Amino acid sequence: MSGPISELHAAIVAAVATMTGGEVPELALERPANAEHGDYATSVAMRLAPLLSRKPREIADELALALAVIPGVESVEVAGPGFLNLRLGDQWYRDALSDMLAAGDEFGRQPFAPGVETLVEFVSSNPTGDLTIGSARNAAYGDSVARLLEFTGEKVTREYYINDAGNQVGLFGQSVQARRLGREIPEGGYPGDEVALIAAELDLADDAPLEDWVAKGVALMVERIRASLASMRVEFDLWTSEKGLHETGAVVAAIERARVQGRIFEQDGATWLRTTDFGDDKDRVLLKADGEHTYFASDLAYIDLKFQRGATHAIYVLGADHHGYIQRLKAGAQCLGYDPEHVETLIYQLITVSGERMGKRRGNVITLAELTEAIGVDAARYFLVQRSHDQTLDIDLDLAVEASSKNPVYYVQYAHARCASIERKAADEGLAIDGIGSGHVPEGPEKALIRRLAEWPEVVASAAELRAPHRIVSWTHELAADFHAFHHDLYVLHEDAEIRAFRLSAVHATREAIARALALIGVGAPDRM
RNA sequence: GCGCCCGUAGCUCAGGGGAUAGAGCGAGAGACUUCUAAUCUCGAGGCCGCAGGUUCGAAUCCUGCCGGGCGCACCA
């Protein structure tokens, strides 16, 4: 990570190391809530006190002298129990802005780490119906995490696992056929309108065998799913078929691999995987007494395939109703001889619409397509990752549809459009600038904006590390607020060329920053609104 | 019973050990002759579920309890 703040951080670490002779406690640079406490503050002196057996104020006084000579630091004061409050000089702000502009879209980005191949498997909804709003959360969250990981230096592959084997797709095939022939839909079948659409579209004779109805019906359903995901800017690199795992012998091979590892046993006529060896609360059946493979058998083969294909890290994005799989998946990987640390499950909590949980059997399903149609792709993606994935999410559809003009996504997009508008006007009036100038003394709103912009590398790094795209949303909203305040207080296209150059530079940096941040959550940044 | 997530303003939620806990929505009062008012400014509104513990310092970490959501298949 690099950037104006990490440079400041590094300089403080160096000063502390000089003082202690090498040892440096975890050192955080904070932005004090109270402006009287400076631009940045650190509590390092308090953390150092027990290590050095000295009083924190004493340490702080000594460190203050060392920090005062760091380039860009205007003043240092010791406050409270031993806080070191730093105030940054005008030159720091000019340098920070200039560095950010020079970095452009690389600002905060990290180069690809060699040898890292991250696989993110997400959505993977059964191809028996249109994607629901729950899958929409999965898609928005999973794709945003993938984008974050790419931005912070991982090579990412996005994969969708198609559950096209077993009873459910069999029932789906029967439902398609029943629709076509105008018959009753089988017990537990799929009554959705999309099934009828597929039935009408299928090029099949009425008496075609069931497996054809299944295969062709699933193919069309998968295409519908792919299209709906693409419409919300989610694209997969790989679509892996469960049926294919059976056909290629991958399932049998995975079981054999586990057998070689000594994790297979027979009991009650079934073949079991001893996942309890690795912390699962019960062993799992792979081959049932009736000779059929379980769903978990394909899961096991799929884990095997992921690592055999060269993934170094396999991420699963699952809804809270699947959290019981975590231990099973990790134990399964371990039974195959893989490191469970390389299997990561990301659980997002369930989504409700206007307070009600969705369910196919509840008959109140809202589809992904309906959501994006109702509030637009930008608002949908913004809404879906606005809150922590650990938090159940309620979408108030009435509000989202009816009051979309006060939707927070517009607040952020409007800041971007304002920047673009100012830049357009500058170009039209021949006020284009080259560089940030040298003489302008930044004012309060300008400083606040630049401090915010400078946080980006740390924000994006922690969002990626925590798999928390909602942090991007929070930060972007704060950035937009800082910009709107700046815009309100200060006139950008000022007659003074120095002032104009500086402010136009800040506007340009802001526009780039908003676009960059929104791109990581798949939201567009319009130039006009 | 066991496991995962949550409990912060009227509502929906941010706050990965720091100083006086924040935002949006809602309710209140103001600001457009200037780069888009989809904006800005100001005020109101809080036993951060409860009780212990760790720490110089806890909304944040640990333990217990209470409340809510979701799971615990030879289903997929």
Side-chain angles (χ1 to χ4, degrees), chain A residues 253-255 257-258 261 263 300-301 303-304 331-338:
Chain A
I255 294 174
R257 186 183 171 98
Q261 298 279 326
R263 306 300 171 192
L300 195 71
I303 294 170
D304 201 18
Q334 227 164 340
C335 286
L336 292 169
Y338 298 113

Side-chain angles (χ1 to χ4, degrees), chain A residues 177-259:
Chain A
Q177 188 179 26
R179 272 306 179 100
R180 174 66 159 275
L181 304 180
R183 291 183 192 153
E184 192 95 341
I185 292 161
E187 180 75 23
Y190 297 89
D193 294 342
E194 68 272 28
V195 178
L197 287 174
I198 282 173
E201 221 178 300
L202 272 187
D203 179 24
L204 271 181
D206 288 358
D207 59 350
L210 177 63
E211 60 183 77
D212 288 357
W213 292 96
V214 172
K216 296 205 168 184
V218 164
L220 279 186
M221 198 63 240
V222 167
E223 175 51 27
R224 278 180 72 90
I225 289 171
R226 190 205 58 73
S228 67
L229 288 166
S231 78
M232 67 181 284
R233 305 175 189 134
V234 176
E235 307 267 358
F236 287 85
D237 303 299
L238 286 173
W239 295 76
T240 297
S241 153
E242 180 189 7
K243 199 170 157 219
L245 292 176
H246 289 283
E247 288 168 354
T248 60
V251 174
V252 172
I255 294 174
E256 285 319 301
R257 186 183 171 98
R259 197 185 299 279

Side-chain angles (χ1 to χ4, degrees), chain A residues 412-458:
Chain A
V412 173
Q413 289 184 320
Y414 182 52
H416 183 273
R418 270 183 152 175
C419 289
S421 167
I422 292 169
E423 292 196 82
R424 266 198 308 275
K425 181 165 181 181
D428 289 348
E429 297 181 6
L431 298 173
I433 44 110
D434 178 26
I436 68 162
S438 56
H440 179 55
V441 175
E443 297 181 43
E446 294 168 315
K447 288 182 171 180
L449 183 59
I450 291 169
R451 277 199 304 271
R452 184 73 67 190
L453 289 165
E455 289 175 352
W456 173 247
E458 284 74 21

Side-chain angles (χ1 to χ4, degrees), chain A residues 486-519:
Chain A
F486 157 88
H487 178 271
H488 184 266
D489 289 350
L490 303 172
Y491 192 77
V492 175
L493 300 177
H494 199 276
E495 55 189 17
D496 181 303
E498 285 289 343
I499 295 175
R500 193 169 68 237
F502 189 89
R503 291 183 183 163
L504 262 176
S505 298
V507 165
H508 187 69
T510 302
R511 190 170 65 75
E512 285 190 331
I514 292 174
R516 201 158 47 224
L518 290 181

Side-chain angles (χ1 to χ4, degrees), chain A residues 257-376:
Chain A
R257 186 183 171 98
R259 197 185 299 279
V260 171
Q261 298 279 326
R263 306 300 171 192
I264 299 289
F265 67 96
E266 314 288 331
Q267 187 182 307
D268 304 331
T271 301
W272 298 67
L273 186 67
R274 203 185 325 270
T275 50
T276 50
D277 283 354
F278 301 109
D280 197 4
D281 50 8
K282 58 187 73 156
D283 293 318
R284 305 292 169 178
V285 170
L286 296 175
L287 193 57
K288 297 189 274 184
D290 65 7
E292 292 287 312
H293 284 114
T294 59
Y295 187 78
F296 185 58
S298 342
D299 278 347
L300 195 71
Y302 188 28
I303 294 170
D304 201 18
L305 178 68
K306 286 176 177 177
F307 287 117
Q308 291 298 316
R309 276 192 319 222
T312 56
H313 191 68
I315 294 179
Y316 290 79
V317 180
L318 302 170
D321 51 342
H322 290 80
H323 79 259
Y325 289 9
I326 300 175
Q327 201 53 48
R328 206 180 309 178
L329 287 172
K330 282 181 173 271
Q334 227 164 340
C335 286
L336 292 169
Y338 298 113
D339 184 346
E341 295 290 308
H342 295 166
V343 174
E344 179 180 354
T345 46
L346 303 181
I347 302 295
Y348 60 92
Q349 296 302 307
L350 296 181
I351 187 164
T352 56
V353 175
S354 305
E356 279 186 61
R357 194 186 160 190
M358 300 289 97
K360 284 179 189 167
R361 285 176 189 81
R362 289 166 200 249
N364 62 348
V365 173
I366 288 181
T367 65
L368 180 155
E370 285 164 348
L371 177 71
T372 54
E373 197 173 312
I375 66 176

